[in-house]
Amino acid sequence: EVHLVESGGGLVQAGGSLRLSCAPSRFTFDAPVIGWFRQAPGKEREGVSCIGSRGDSTYYKDAVKGRFTISRDDAKNTVYLQMNSLKPDDTAIYYCAQTGFCAETGSALVFGPIHGSWGRGTQVTVSS
């Protein structure tokens, strides 16, 4: 089983930026789609963004469109989430996961079954 490790979180002021990274602890990604998810205190985990294997298919939750950018560097075996213009509502633990499917539906994202188990995530805290 491939375990993914998230990093890059931190504490920033509203309007600031962070870049999150997601990489396998060993081996390489073994699913076509990598997704970023987040879970705020007292809320369910939600999909934020996803990217296909060739990097040419990207999708975003409406609330982050125009502010977040997902990308992948296969040479470094890493998927990134660049987060700009951060808001206090973006405060959450951010996770990445592999899946076979991702698409937009309305204002949200839908995903296929997640491969493997969730990692520890990385905490993002945005102060007002």
Side-chain angles (χ1 to χ4, degrees), residues 9-89:
L11 171 64
V12 295
Q13 291 187 330
S17 298
L18 285 172
R19 187 177 78 159
L20 307 184
S21 298
C22 168
S25 58
R26 293 191 304 165
F27 310 120
T28 63
F29 294 117
D30 62 2
V33 176
I34 308 300
W36 279 101
F37 304 78
R38 67 186 182 187
Q39 187 167 21
K43 295 186 178 180
E44 293 187 354
R45 187 158 17 211
E46 62 178 0
V48 174
S49 181
C50 57
I51 187 167
S53 58
R54 290 176 292 182
D56 56 348
S57 296
T58 59
Y59 299 98
Y60 300 90
K61 172 181 171 65
D62 271 6
V64 306
K65 283 181 179 177
R67 301 188 296 122
F68 291 10
T69 303
I70 191 170
S71 63
R72 63 189 300 160
D73 184 338
D74 289 333
K76 295 183 178 180
N77 211 23
T78 302
V79 170
Y80 302 99
L81 186 68
Q82 177 67 43
M83 306 188 298
N84 299 328
S85 302
L86 283 162
K87 305 175 180 180
D89 284 348

Side-chain angles (χ1 to χ4, degrees), residues 102-123:
C102 172
E104 289 184 4
T105 174
S107 62
L109 300 179
V110 292
F111 291 83
I114 300 302
H115 294 203
S117 55
W118 294 101
R120 294 184 175 182
T122 185
Q123 176 72 49

